[in-house]
Amino acid sequence: MKTRPRLTVVILICSVLFGFIAACHIFIDPTFRKQYTDYNTFVHESPVEPGYLKVHYKDGKVVVFDSWKLSSGQDSLIGNGKLFDLKRNIISDGLVSTGTDQIAIIETNQLTALKDKTNERIAALSILAGIDAVIGVVCITVPKACFGSCPTFYLTETNNVHWANAEAFSSSIAPSMEQPDIDALRVKVGSGDFRLIMKNEALETHVVNEVQIVAAEVEKDAEILHGVGDKFFHTKNITNCISALTDGENIAPFLNAVDGNEYFSLSDSLDLGAKEEILLEFNNNIKNTPGIILNFRQTLLTTFLLYNGMSYMGDEIGDYFAKIETSDMVRKKLKNPFSTLGGIKVFAFDSKKEKWDFITEIYETGPIAPNHFVVPFSETNDNGDPIRVKLEMTKGMWRLDYAGLADIDKEINPAFIYPSEILKDNLPDPEALTEISCDDEDYLISMPGDEWHLHFDLPQPNDENNRYQLFLSAKGYYLEWIRNDWLEEKDPERLKNMLLNDKATWRELAIEYKTYESQMEELFWNSKYENNQ
């Protein structure tokens, strides 16, 4: 859903990650047994060829393999390695065997092995560490600005990520954080074959559970909008704002068309949680239920924070992620940073009571494809006065492309349609089709540079004069590929302070972000993964 907080992860996912470590002392003992820490350092700095595989079990044990093999059924893993117990005392050194259903998360530097289709069960659980050999100069010189993206979807062939029509499950940064996500494609079509392109354009492993087209039958002069609770609303008579004021400036020209001409502010130089307000005013032509429409996406602030959090984990990143997978308490801690950054809070002015009524807070992670979302609210101005809406959000965190007012006359139930065919390299892939055509334990694994062409068979509309307004529904998660530069910035204490919203630490982060902010957009887009890398 687009409201989440979609944390989603949701939510800030991107800061998301950090919350859990607020409790890092619960599971990461800084006085780790020396044998484990010494060996952990060794495998990162001088890995034995062909590399290592650090496997975290759900019961807390860890085995570091220097050689391993997955069974043909991908249900067991056997190899040579060191096995450590929950307290990181060594249990054995030699042959180790385990069922893949006992694995919480894996850390490895074996890229070749992950790309082997016979190892998909391992790839779906693996964080890849140490990849500077395959990334560009921009990522190496400014790693906090390196491009990142969940699966991107396109209506047409293009290599320009700025034209992505959807970005799926952006806040699902680990298996336990998998969740569905719906995006408006903003297109109306008739029946027949509808095609969509899914790409992996980042240095990440995308683990896709299911993909569906949401098709809502719509009349020529109407719009179907996606809103709170993943509901869909039938609406007509959408109007633009007559004014949009922030700090005395009218920014309505930025918000009166979905055209990529976005309004955004810069972050506060000393306080990343500093807020701003936008006061919207609309002519009151509402006959049914009003709804505020927003077209928005995030800036790169949360990307910066996410990468910082991962870099502070250093070579213990697998240990931290294992706790996300195995501890309910840690996952609950994920929401800690949201109190600092938060989403977009929406208020409507009650002219009778002369006060602002809080409606909801919306959140959607991701800086690439914009989100098109509606928030219904109660009409409070029965005297015909203009309708006033207030947006409150963190400075420098959101880019707004449009704000409109919809007249909602009913809620509708669209059809959810799985693909009829998937092609990769211009060839049908029936196995991939099975993997994304059901919400189950069977996943499609997508590596950097992968491109999939999805075909959907849309039925005839009930009324021959109508068309379908389309949305994308996707479910899955993704795993980052960790840069060597991140591992070198290990700082558990700073990570803890960041997650606990320590004022001094957040002030330092605000200052650091300012050094990137003006150039981060350009660096981010220029570091997108290309197949020739």
Side-chain angles (χ1 to χ4, degrees), residues 263-502:
Y263 163 78
F264 63 95
S265 62
L266 296 177
S267 64
D268 187 281
S269 59
L270 296 177
D271 181 8
L272 287 181
K275 307 300 180 184
E276 64 176 325
E277 292 183 349
I278 299 176
L279 302 178
L280 303 170
E281 187 170 302
F282 301 87
N283 287 325
N284 191 346
N285 300 315
I286 299 298
K287 298 179 181 179
N288 300 287
T289 300
I292 179 70
I293 307 169
L294 296 178
N295 199 78
F296 64 97
R297 62 188 175 101
Q298 286 187 330
T299 66
L300 294 169
L301 172 58
T302 50
T303 299
F304 166 81
L305 292 173
L306 177 65
Y307 289 173
N308 263 294
M310 288 183 172
S311 69
Y312 297 156
M313 295 176 194
D315 61 9
E316 292 178 27
I317 191 166
D319 300 87
Y320 285 112
F321 268 78
K323 238 4 182 189
I324 295 179
E325 295 305 297
T326 58
S327 172
D328 290 339
M329 178 170 59
V330 168
R331 284 195 294 273
K332 289 178 181 178
K333 296 290 185 180
L334 290 173
K335 296 182 179 179
N336 276 4
F338 309 151
S339 60
T340 299
L341 296 176
I344 301 176
K345 293 183 178 179
V346 182
F347 301 81
F349 188 72
D350 187 329
S351 60
K352 295 179 180 178
K353 299 180 181 179
E354 290 291 316
K355 72 180 188 70
W356 291 101
D357 290 331
F358 174 72
I359 303 172
T360 191
E361 181 174 3
I362 60 176
Y363 190 98
E364 181 71 16
T365 301
I368 298 178
N371 313 287
H372 201 73
F373 194 78
V374 66
V375 178
F377 58 96
S378 299
E379 173 62 86
T380 58
N381 299 325
D382 55 9
N383 57 4
D385 287 346
I387 291 177
R388 299 170 63 193
V389 174
K390 179 173 70 173
L391 307 179
E392 180 184 287
M393 55 196 180
T394 296
K395 294 180 64 176
M397 185 170 161
W398 301 97
R399 302 176 73 98
L400 301 182
D401 187 32
Y402 179 73
L405 186 70
D407 191 348
I408 300 171
D409 57 6
K410 61 183 176 181
E411 181 182 342
I412 61 101
N413 294 312
F416 285 72
I417 302 171
Y418 284 111
S420 56
E421 185 179 44
I422 299 178
L423 286 79
K424 187 178 183 188
D425 299 327
N426 295 319
L427 297 174
D429 191 334
E431 183 176 352
L433 181 63
T434 300
E435 289 168 340
I436 67 168
S437 293
C438 184
D439 182 0
D440 56 14
E441 298 300 316
D442 201 10
Y443 293 84
L444 183 152
I445 308 299
S446 180
M447 291 290 177
D450 281 352
E451 181 173 314
W452 311 82
H453 289 240
L454 285 64
H455 292 223
F456 299 84
D457 187 14
L458 303 182
Q460 286 287 342
N462 293 319
D463 187 323
E464 63 180 13
N465 295 316
N466 292 347
R467 295 170 70 78
Y468 287 111
Q469 190 152 350
L470 301 184
F471 303 80
L472 171 75
S473 175
K475 183 178 181 182
Y477 61 92
Y478 69 98
L479 295 165
E480 286 280 359
W481 289 14
I482 308 304
R483 288 68 161 164
N484 277 331
D485 284 345
W486 294 359
L487 300 177
E488 295 171 2
E489 295 185 19
K490 180 178 178 180
D491 193 336
E493 186 64 23
R494 188 171 174 83
L495 175 63
K496 176 183 175 182
N497 290 337
M498 178 175 131
L499 300 175
L500 292 176
N501 293 334
D502 173 71

Side-chain angles (χ1 to χ4, degrees), residues 177-219:
M177 300 168 78
E178 176 185 340
Q179 63 180 30
D181 177 36
I182 294 178
D183 296 79
L185 293 175
R186 306 203 70 247
V187 62
K188 295 179 181 179
V189 301
S191 62
D193 182 31
F194 175 74
R195 303 183 181 190
L196 199 60
I197 301 170
M198 179 176 73
K199 296 184 181 183
N200 183 338
E201 302 180 275
L203 291 170
E204 303 166 354
T205 301
H206 296 167
V207 188
V208 187
N209 190 338
E210 65 174 351
V211 177
Q212 299 176 85
I213 284 295
V214 184
E217 189 169 339
V218 61
E219 300 169 10

Side-chain angles (χ1 to χ4, degrees), residues 35-53:
Q35 282 181 309
Y36 176 76
T37 53
D38 286 351
Y39 193 63
N40 186 55
T41 299
F42 168 74
V43 299
H44 281 91
E45 295 183 353
S46 307
V48 177
E49 292 298 336
Y52 69 90
L53 194 77

Side-chain angles (χ1 to χ4, degrees), residues 151-167:
T152 42
F153 291 82
Y154 298 84
L155 298 175
T156 60
E157 291 276 6
T158 178
N159 289 320
N160 188 344
V161 72
H162 286 283
W163 294 102
N165 297 97
E167 179 184 12

Side-chain angles (χ1 to χ4, degrees), residues 106-126:
I106 297 170
E107 178 197 321
T108 185
N109 64 346
Q110 298 194 35
L111 174 58
T112 302
L114 297 189
K115 288 186 173 181
D116 186 338
K117 195 167 180 63
T118 63
N119 294 327
E120 282 193 335
R121 178 60 179 154
I122 298 302
L125 295 171
S126 293

Side-chain angles (χ1 to χ4, degrees), residues 135-174:
I135 64 178
V137 174
V138 172
C139 283
I140 295 174
T141 57
V142 192
K144 301 293 177 55
C146 193
F147 183 86
S149 165
C150 300
T152 42
F153 291 82
Y154 298 84
L155 298 175
T156 60
E157 291 276 6
T158 178
N159 289 320
N160 188 344
V161 72
H162 286 283
W163 294 102
N165 297 97
E167 179 184 12
F169 47 81
S170 303
S171 47
S172 300
I173 60 174

